[in-house]
Amino acid sequence: MSHSSSLSLAVPQEELGAASKELLEAPAEEVLAWVERRFGSRAAIASSFGAEDMVLIDLARTHAPSVRLFTLDTGRLPPETYEVMDVVRRRYGIEIETFFPERARVEALESSKGYFSFKQSIEARKECCAIRKVEPLGRALAGREAWVTGLRREQSVTRTEVQTVAVDAEHGLIKVNPLARWSTREVWAYIKAHGVPYNVLHDRGYPSIGCAPCTRAVKPYEDERAGRWWWESPENRECGLHVRR
């Protein structure tokens, strides 16, 4: 089935256009409520359990309780990330659907190219991301009609055009970014006001947290994603999960 036909089954273009305009400046609560009404359990939050994702999870418990929650376990996440995931399971009483990379592909990559091949070139790094993240994401999104992310325009130069509601042509479904307009200050104000749990690495200078070997703390003057693949130039610092069109 083509992307266009699957999209037409999920949301007619006219409805999508209207929702995109209506929700462009809407509060995150309204955006999530629309996801709940329109998709329910056919939508899922994709979470790496960073600060934005924790806000989304907290908001969704009230405004989109049917929406599922999944994560990509690359096999190289920091222990602190697993700790906050366990806190989420206990506090919110929800299942975290977990998707791993294909074992054979990881084994082949590490056997043939070593354990830090991703530092050799942008191509090599994207190969690692494709195996550990992009392929599992495809499986995670299979059969769903929409996915919800914590993307914000303020995060980096690669995300300044993030829309609240958009078509994800790559996966043939709707992509919703309820926090697109939020600032870092707003994210942390919400966390503090509502006592939302968060990854302790944020307190150690990690505004953005991915795989342990590819993430480091940043300086106060650096942008939020400067600690991700820091050996590359800023315009290349995406893993392929969020394709720019």
Side-chain angles (χ1 to χ4, degrees), residues 82-243:
Y82 295 107
E83 289 170 3
V84 77
M85 287 163 66
D86 244 6
V87 170
V88 166
R89 291 178 68 252
R90 293 195 304 268
R91 170 165 174 159
Y92 297 100
I94 53 177
E95 175 188 347
I96 302 171
E97 298 178 32
T98 305
F99 293 83
F100 286 89
E102 291 184 350
R103 174 186 58 79
R105 294 185 68 188
V106 175
E107 289 175 355
L109 175 68
E110 294 191 352
S111 297
S112 63
K113 299 184 179 180
Y115 307 99
F116 292 92
S117 61
F118 51 83
K119 289 193 174 182
Q120 295 171 7
S121 67
I122 291 175
E123 291 70 31
R125 198 267 294 165
K126 289 186 175 181
E127 179 185 22
C128 186
C129 287
I131 292 171
R132 294 183 183 274
K133 293 184 175 182
V134 178
E135 187 279 330
L137 177 69
R139 282 186 280 119
L141 294 179
R144 306 196 200 267
E145 294 182 0
W147 64 311
V148 182
T149 86
L151 292 183
R152 295 187 298 109
R153 295 171 198 153
E154 191 184 85
Q155 286 171 325
S156 69
V157 296
T158 62
R159 298 183 173 181
T160 55
E161 301 300 318
V162 168
Q163 299 299 305
T164 304
V165 178
V167 173
D168 181 349
E170 190 75 13
H171 299 102
L173 74 176
I174 306 305
K175 187 174 185 179
V176 185
N177 308 299
L179 306 181
R181 297 187 301 119
W182 282 42
S183 66
T184 303
R185 182 175 295 179
E186 287 174 304
V187 169
W188 283 101
Y190 183 95
I191 287 173
K192 289 180 170 57
H194 296 85
V196 177
Y198 61 88
N199 194 319
V200 296
L201 288 177
H202 288 310
D203 291 335
R204 301 174 193 165
Y206 289 74
S208 179
I209 304 165
C211 292
C214 300
T215 308
R216 70 173 183 180
V218 303
K219 303 290 192 300
Y221 56 83
E222 292 180 305
D223 76 58
E224 293 189 26
R225 288 178 64 83
R228 303 291 293 277
W229 311 293
W230 60 90
W231 57 90
E232 297 178 4
S233 57
E235 64 272 14
N236 293 315
R237 292 179 191 156
E238 288 287 356
C239 59
L241 296 182
H242 305 289
V243 179

